[in-house]
Amino acid sequence: MKRHLPSRREVAPLLRFKRPELSRKARRLEKAPPIDDLRRVAKRRTPKPAFDYTDGAADGEVSLTRVREAFANVEVHPSILRDVSQVDTSREVLGKRVALPFGIAPTGFTRMMQAEGEIAGATAAAAAGIPFSLSTMGTTSIEDVDAAASR
Ligand SMILES: Cc1cc2nc3c(=O)[nH]c(=O)nc-3n(C[C@H](O)[C@H](O)[C@H](O)COP(=O)(O)O)c2cc1C
C-alpha cells in the first residue's frame, strides 16, 4: 500500500489558522455572529431609550411578528455537486443593477444608535453593491451620505 501524505496546502484550510485580529471592535463583533447575540450585547451597552427605540417596531409590532415568522419558515435545501461557479444574485432595482435582492431600509435618528450612523450604513451598502435609503428623519445630510457611498 502506498500512503499519501497530505501537503501543507491541503491541510491548512482544515486547520483554519486565523490571523490575529488587531481591532477590538472587530474582535467583539466576531464573538457575536447571530443577530440575537448582537442584540444582547447592545442591550447591555446602550442607554435604555436608544435601545428600546431601535429594538421596538411600530404599534402592535404585527408586521415585525409576520417578518420573523416568514424568516423562521425559510428552509435551506442542500444541493450537492451543482456548478455554483456562475451564481448571479443581482437584480434590477429602480432601473439599476444591484448585487443582491435587498437593501438597507431607512432608519430615523440613526446616529443616536451608532456614532457613524448613515455613513457606516451607506459605506457598507456601497461595498456590498446594494441600495441604501436615507430617512427623512436621518442624522446625516444627503450630500455626506452620497460622498461616503461614492468613496
Ligand atoms: C430604529 C428604526 C427606525 C426606523 N426609522 C424609519 C424612518 O425614519 N423612516 C421609515 O420610512 N422607516 C423607518 N423604519 C422602518 C424600516 O425602514 C423598515 O421598513 C422596517 O424596519 C422593516 O424592515 P426590517 O424587517 O428589515 O427591519 C425604522 C425602523 C427601525 C427599526
Side-chain angles (χ1 to χ4, degrees):
M1 184 172 73
K2 193 166 177 245
R3 276 176 185 260
H4 170 78
L5 288 176
S7 69
R8 266 198 359 225
R9 267 190 34 212
E10 286 167 331
V11 172
L14 302 174
L15 295 179
R16 297 189 186 169
F17 284 126
K18 275 176 64 187
R19 281 196 189 161
E21 178 55 69
L22 298 179
S23 152
R24 259 183 66 199
K25 184 162 126 190
R27 278 204 308 272
R28 212 171 63 223
L29 291 177
E30 262 179 12
K31 283 191 204 145
I35 198 73
D36 285 342
D37 283 359
L38 282 175
R39 182 180 176 277
R40 265 192 292 277
V41 173
K43 194 168 186 178
R44 272 203 313 269
R45 303 175 68 96
T46 314
K48 193 170 170 10
F51 178 82
D52 287 347
Y53 169 68
T54 312
D55 190 49
D59 293 330
E61 303 195 328
V62 175
S63 46
L64 174 68
T65 308
R66 280 192 198 142
V67 168
R68 289 208 170 134
E69 267 169 27
F71 198 69
N73 285 334
V74 171
E75 283 182 35
V76 178
H77 297 275
S79 301
I80 305 159
L81 296 177
R82 295 259 188 108
D83 180 8
V84 289
S85 56
Q86 302 292 327
V87 173
D88 179 15
T89 55
S90 69
R91 292 286 184 284
E92 185 124 341
V93 176
L94 301 174
K96 216 178 152 189
R97 204 83 200 157
V98 298
L100 296 161
F102 53 83
I104 298 185
T107 51
F109 311 107
T110 312
R111 296 187 65 223
M112 179 175 80
M113 306 161 215
Q114 205 269 353
E116 289 164 280
E118 288 90 351
I119 300 291
T123 308
I130 61 171
F132 172 86
S133 38
L134 179 63
S135 169
T136 46
M137 315 260 267
T139 43
T140 306
S141 71
I142 296 176
E143 292 76 13
D144 288 349
V145 169
D146 179 48
S150 319
R151 249 185 253 139

